[in-house]
Amino acid sequence: MNINVHSQTKFQSLGLIRVNGSMIAENCICVLKERLSRFDISLEEDIVVIVTDGPNVMLKVGKLVDTEHQLCFAHCIHLAVCDVLYNKKNIRVNQLQMI
């Protein structure tokens, strides 16, 4: 997990956090709060919005935190393009099987 903090005047990377295997949303929030606290940043008081990719665990994180949650547009576009490119082939194969 990578944490970046943006303000009007500054960008700061708080570094990568190794996640072995899967992580539930509640644990993800704990890890996030712990890393932010190292830099004297409070998730509840200092963060306005979080931006994540779109897996279910991140959607749940977005629902559990009190900040706004935005899905990353670049990630969404990538998923949409892959869906169009790879599912068209499946549709064609399925259509040919019906004939």
Side-chain angles (χ1 to χ4, degrees), residues 14-30:
L14 305 186
L16 291 169
I17 300 167
R18 182 178 299 274
V19 176
N20 293 319
S22 61
M23 179 185 289
I24 64 171
E26 292 81 3
N27 290 351
C28 185
I29 294 169
C30 289

Side-chain angles (χ1 to χ4, degrees), residues 13-69:
S13 174
L14 305 186
L16 291 169
I17 300 167
R18 182 178 299 274
V19 176
N20 293 319
S22 61
M23 179 185 289
I24 64 171
E26 292 81 3
N27 290 351
C28 185
I29 294 169
C30 289
V31 169
L32 174 61
K33 286 181 177 181
E34 190 278 323
R35 179 56 61 102
L36 291 173
S37 71
R38 290 186 189 179
F39 296 87
D40 294 323
I41 301 171
S42 167
L43 179 62
E44 293 82 9
E45 296 176 17
D46 300 319
I47 304 298
V48 176
V49 64
I50 61 172
V51 179
T52 69
D53 57 355
N56 289 335
V57 68
M58 287 296 126
L59 296 177
K60 187 172 180 182
V61 166
K63 290 177 184 176
L64 294 176
V65 296
D66 290 332
T67 64
E68 293 293 320
H69 179 231

Side-chain angles (χ1 to χ4, degrees), residues 80-89:
V81 168
C82 287
D83 191 44
V84 168
L85 291 176
Y86 295 111
N87 280 338
K88 270 193 171 182
K89 292 178 185 175

